[in-house]
Amino acid sequence: MKPKITHATLHDVAELAGVSHQTVSRVINDSPRVSENTRQRVLEAIQQLNYQPNHTARALATRRSLTLEIVTFGVGYYGPAQIMGGVERAAKARGYRLFFSNLDRLTYADMRETVEDLKRQQVEGVVLIAPVRSAIYEELMKERNNIPVVQLATQKDVTFPSIIIDQQLGSRLATQHLIDTGHSSIAAISGPLHWNDAAARHEGWLDTLQDNHLNPVNWTEGDWSAASGYRAAHELVDHGAKFTALVIANDQMALGAILALRERGLRIPEDVSIVGFDDIPEASFFDPPLTTIRQDFSTLGEQSVEYLVEIIADPQAAAGQRVLTPRLILRKSHR
Amino acid sequence: MKPKITHATLHDVAELAGVSHQTVSRVINDSPRVSENTRQRVLEAIQQLNYQPNHTARALATRRSLTLEIVTFGVGYYGPAQIMGGVERAAKARGYRLFFSNLDRLTYADMRETVEDLKRQQVEGVVLIAPVRSAIYEELMKERNNIPVVQLATQKDVTFPSIIIDQQLGSRLATQHLIDTGHSSIAAISGPLHWNDAAARHEGWLDTLQDNHLNPVNWTEGDWSAASGYRAAHELVDHGAKFTALVIANDQMALGAILALRERGLRIPEDVSIVGFDDIPEASFFDPPLTTIRQDFSTLGEQSVEYLVEIIADPQAAAGQRVLTPRLILRKSHR
DNA sequence: AACTTATATGTGAACGTTCACATGATTATT
DNA sequence: AATAATCATGTGAACGTTCACATATAAGTT
């Protein structure tokens, strides 16, 4: 009843072509040690049987899976989704397949599970999007059975293989630009501060104010969502602090904040200037078009695979953190 | 020099515990055929050696990989990213791992590559996000070597296993609501019409107008981006056609359109009502908050895995299309 | 012409599991 | 008390490759 389609194997091909299985193996691996004559014969047999090498068997024999894994925290967010695109592209380009694993919650159980999986799956390397401060990641690093891991969006100056975008710099760019254009009362809406990027952006804002002998007027913490930006902006106004500019840790929150400020009768950029972070594709079409700090997430993803592949080839290559630079994109939400 | 960490195997555990490899196998597979006594001894050995079953070897022996694959078209888009989240969650819950493959371009070469991969990878099933009309997909279906495939976002009433959200219905909901609230000049900005969802939404708009004996005023085609929505809205106004309402095929384009209309001195919703599609999280914080047709992409992803698993268990279960229903979310961009 | 070297191919084990079956010990059945 | 049934365990092959080596033939060297 159950047909159980069985695929042609190396031996089937060998038999049909009248050679040994090893010769077939040589053909599919492009070994020069095979005469043109037999090569053709084998190729024909392969064609005829619609033979496809079995990846599993190959992995078992070679002890190489040609597989990477990406473990993400929150596919829902813009950044991680973009990073994944880059990782996939780079992995495919280098002949690797990609496992995809998502962590919705950063609980011990979830993480535990993921580590156990890693050990089982015969994965050659892992790109870990680890944007949140958590001891769990360190545990992961210890228990991972020497599987190379490149972490993304970690803290700055961490010593294990990782790549970050210099958020502190980005935030300095934003804040300094506002100061340079005459602002001295600059408030902020931060991301959730247990996120590394949020903390770095926040520090950049604080440090820049300090460097310019300005006092931080006021700030609130959001959760990256437009909803939280909306709430935060209302709060800021309620609090009575006067500010003429607002540094907001991502574009979505900026969107929410713009709506809230407008509800309070504040015009942008006449009454308050705004700069966001990320440069999501929609940012140009906010009202007004948003000045923001662009993050090249896609490149981040690609580079992480490159780094990983270097480490796989030579574990000695595993050295420290690489840093990408964000860029200020000027539009119309500031003056 | 190269330590080449070798993991403990079944045989190592067996030796340490003083039993046969098969007994160890029984323990790790929870077979009842093993005495409590030896089970404990084996468990200890496993612990001691930090043994982890080798997934590859198991797959080879059982001819089951416990692996699914998702092939996506454009991770960058909101929908696909959400779907992926759902697919990952459901796959993990059912003990499957997930390969992730992205198609940036729908070229023959890219697709060909993907199909070849499928045949090689020993994947048990595939969730294919196939939002674009293309003969390539049909070819895929033929050549896939009997691997179960569930397609997402295909055309309506297609006979192979697939799940769609009823976009035509969604569009009817939107258009009819505008008509019911007094509009009779309803223009549209469609998505790229070779996308199935775009075409269905467009048809829904047209059909509803027809059912109500109204003429379609005017419409243009966008490419899902806010930028294209912006351009399209300007075009519509340039074209001189009078409209009091606008059905826009996704929220991002709606954002762009809102900005464009405002630039033309048109107030929303006083002068023109707008309804979008998708209900991205930011839609509530557009100015004005956007009335839109909500799509439950996450559920779509989960259900696709469920369907797929049914088919894997029983190929007879592969029967036709399942349909999810979108929902009208009323906010303030219409009157 | 004899000896080395290179080329084309084959043989059997190995990778780390599970599967199908065999065996011996214990317990139940008549 | 003999026989059957059940339970706990073991044995060797199989999954589909590659690896390490062996062999036979052809070609090059002295």
Side-chain angles (χ1 to χ4, degrees):
Chain A
M1 204 70 278
K2 222 176 177 182
K4 189 68 173 176
I5 4 78
T6 175
H7 300 264
T9 81
L10 217 46
H11 291 91
D12 300 332
V13 176
E15 193 173 1
L16 182 59
V19 295
S20 79
H21 62 117
Q22 182 57 24
T23 299
V24 180
S25 172
R26 286 192 184 98
V27 171
I28 62 176
N29 288 297
D30 289 319
S31 157
R33 289 280 98 100
V34 49
S35 75
E36 200 43 42
N37 198 329
T38 52
R39 158 167 280 120
Q40 285 310 326
R41 206 139 34 88
V42 169
L43 252 22
E44 249 168 60
I46 287 177
Q47 192 85 38
Q48 200 171 324
L49 296 175
N50 188 21
Y51 167 78
Q52 291 289 345
N54 180 321
H55 210 289
T56 306
R58 186 175 273 177
L60 186 58
T62 58
R63 281 115 153 265
R64 294 210 54 183
S65 62
L66 287 177
T67 300
L68 264 28
E69 172 156 350
I70 176 157
V71 1
T72 245
F73 181 68
V75 238
Y77 296 101
Y78 173 74
Q82 294 310 109
I83 292 174
M84 285 194 53
V87 168
E88 199 274 345
R89 193 171 324 120
K92 185 173 283 173
R94 292 165 171 286
Y96 280 95
R97 305 178 298 170
L98 230 211
F99 275 129
F100 165 44
S101 190
N102 185 43
L103 262 37
D104 274 321
R105 301 158 306 167
L106 210 57
T107 65
Y108 186 79
D110 278 19
M111 205 64 200
R112 174 94 256 130
E113 178 68 23
T114 304
V115 178
E116 295 299 324
D117 276 356
L118 282 186
K119 295 198 270 186
R120 250 172 271 147
Q121 324 263 294
Q122 323 300 116
V123 162
E124 290 190 30
V126 178
V127 175
L128 174 64
I129 304 182
V132 172
R133 269 183 216 163
S134 166
I136 298 175
Y137 288 122
E138 294 182 23
E139 188 163 340
L140 172 80
M141 295 302 287
K142 279 190 210 122
E143 293 205 22
R144 68 185 205 284
N145 277 21
N146 283 307
I147 300 170
V149 177
V150 169
Q151 287 193 226
L152 262 35
T154 59
Q155 285 172 262
K156 202 171 183 174
D157 295 328
V158 104
T159 58
F160 44 77
S162 52
I163 312 186
I164 62 165
I165 298 176
D166 191 342
Q167 303 298 351
Q168 210 161 341
L169 172 65
S171 196
R172 282 175 171 285
L173 256 35
T175 313
Q176 191 65 53
H177 182 261
L178 289 169
I179 293 170
D180 292 349
T181 51
H183 291 275
S184 58
S185 304
I186 306 173
I189 298 174
S190 77
L193 291 177
H194 61 292
W195 284 60
N196 300 311
D197 285 354
R201 287 169 186 179
H202 191 57
E203 275 173 43
W205 170 71
L206 265 177
D207 292 353
T208 310
L209 289 182
Q210 205 155 21
D211 291 353
N212 289 273
H213 310 295
L214 294 172
N215 287 325
V217 201
N218 204 352
W219 65 276
T220 7
E221 187 173 340
D223 64 8
W224 300 128
S225 73
S228 75
Y230 177 84
R231 273 195 306 272
H234 269 305
E235 247 174 67
L236 242 30
V237 176
D238 285 340
H239 212 276
K242 286 269 177 287
F243 53 87
T244 64
L246 205 39
V247 175
I248 305 181
N250 80 349
D251 294 347
Q252 285 87 351
M253 292 195 297
L255 180 68
I258 290 172
L259 182 61
L261 294 175
R262 189 162 290 148
E263 288 179 358
R264 292 312 197 90
L266 293 166
R267 292 162 307 162
I268 297 153
E270 292 82 356
D271 298 324
V272 11
S273 289
I274 286 187
V275 21
F277 280 83
D278 287 355
D279 195 20
I280 62 176
E282 287 74 37
S284 304
F285 300 92
F286 286 7
D287 184 11
L290 189 67
T291 291
T292 188
I293 304 293
R294 179 180 293 168
Q295 318 276 325
D296 192 348
F297 290 117
S298 182
T299 298
L300 179 59
E302 284 172 15
Q303 297 219 4
S304 65
V305 171
E306 256 171 60
Y307 194 178
L308 200 51
V309 169
E310 289 173 29
I311 298 176
I312 291 168
D314 172 20
Q316 302 293 329
Q321 185 164 72
R322 298 182 182 181
V323 179
L324 300 181
T325 305
R327 207 176 122 211
L328 175 64
I329 305 292
L330 296 173
R331 284 198 274 254
K332 305 198 169 146
S333 63
H334 69 97
R335 67 168 357 161
Chain B
M1 200 77 275
K2 221 174 173 183
K4 191 66 178 179
I5 5 81
T6 175
H7 298 263
T9 82
L10 217 47
H11 290 91
D12 300 331
V13 175
E15 192 173 359
L16 182 60
V19 297
S20 77
H21 63 118
Q22 182 55 28
T23 300
V24 179
S25 173
R26 286 190 184 101
V27 171
I28 63 177
N29 289 297
D30 292 319
S31 156
R33 288 281 100 100
V34 49
S35 75
E36 200 43 40
N37 198 331
T38 53
R39 159 168 277 118
Q40 285 310 325
R41 210 145 27 94
V42 170
L43 251 24
E44 252 168 58
I46 288 177
Q47 189 87 36
Q48 199 170 325
L49 296 175
N50 188 21
Y51 167 77
Q52 291 288 346
N54 181 318
H55 211 289
T56 307
R58 186 175 274 175
L60 185 58
T62 58
R63 281 119 150 259
R64 292 209 56 183
S65 62
L66 287 176
T67 300
L68 264 30
E69 173 156 348
I70 176 153
V71 2
T72 248
F73 181 67
V75 238
Y77 296 102
Y78 173 75
Q82 294 309 108
I83 292 174
M84 284 194 54
V87 169
E88 199 273 347
R89 193 172 324 122
K92 185 172 284 174
R94 290 166 174 285
Y96 280 94
R97 304 178 301 170
L98 228 210
F99 275 128
F100 164 44
S101 190
N102 185 44
L103 261 36
D104 275 322
R105 301 157 308 166
L106 211 59
T107 66
Y108 186 78
D110 278 21
M111 204 66 197
R112 173 95 257 127
E113 177 69 22
T114 304
V115 178
E116 295 299 324
D117 276 357
L118 281 186
K119 294 198 269 186
R120 253 172 268 148
Q121 324 264 292
Q122 324 299 120
V123 163
E124 290 190 28
V126 178
V127 174
L128 174 65
I129 303 183
V132 172
R133 267 182 218 164
S134 166
I136 298 176
Y137 288 122
E138 289 179 27
E139 188 163 338
L140 173 79
M141 296 301 286
K142 276 188 213 124
E143 292 205 22
R144 69 187 203 285
N145 276 22
N146 282 307
I147 300 170
V149 176
V150 168
Q151 287 193 228
L152 262 34
T154 59
Q155 286 172 261
K156 201 170 183 174
D157 295 327
V158 103
T159 57
F160 45 77
S162 53
I163 312 185
I164 61 165
I165 298 176
D166 190 339
Q167 304 297 352
Q168 209 159 343
L169 172 64
S171 197
R172 282 177 170 284
L173 254 34
T175 313
Q176 191 63 55
H177 181 262
L178 290 168
I179 294 170
D180 291 348
T181 51
H183 291 275
S184 58
S185 306
I186 304 175
I189 299 174
S190 76
L193 290 178
H194 60 293
W195 284 59
N196 299 314
D197 286 354
R201 287 168 187 180
H202 191 59
E203 274 174 43
W205 169 71
L206 266 177
D207 291 355
T208 311
L209 290 181
Q210 204 154 22
D211 292 353
N212 289 270
H213 310 293
L214 293 172
N215 287 325
V217 200
N218 204 352
W219 64 276
T220 7
E221 187 173 338
D223 64 8
W224 298 129
S225 73
S228 75
Y230 176 84
R231 275 195 307 272
H234 269 303
E235 246 174 70
L236 242 29
V237 177
D238 284 341
H239 213 276
K242 286 269 177 284
F243 52 88
T244 64
L246 204 40
V247 175
I248 306 181
N250 78 350
D251 294 347
Q252 284 88 349
M253 292 196 296
L255 179 69
I258 289 172
L259 182 62
L261 294 175
R262 190 162 292 149
E263 288 178 359
R264 292 313 196 89
L266 293 167
R267 293 164 304 163
I268 296 150
E270 291 81 357
D271 299 325
V272 12
S273 289
I274 287 187
V275 21
F277 280 83
D278 287 356
D279 194 21
I280 61 175
E282 288 74 36
S284 303
F285 299 91
F286 285 8
D287 184 12
L290 189 68
T291 290
T292 188
I293 305 292
R294 177 180 294 168
Q295 318 276 325
D296 192 349
F297 291 117
S298 181
T299 298
L300 179 58
E302 284 171 17
Q303 297 216 5
S304 65
V305 172
E306 253 170 66
Y307 195 176
L308 198 52
V309 169
E310 287 172 32
I311 297 176
I312 292 169
D314 173 20
Q316 303 294 329
Q321 186 166 70
R322 299 181 182 183
V323 179
L324 300 182
T325 305
R327 212 178 117 208
L328 175 64
I329 305 292
L330 296 173
R331 284 199 275 255
K332 302 196 171 150
S333 61
H334 68 99
R335 68 173 348 168

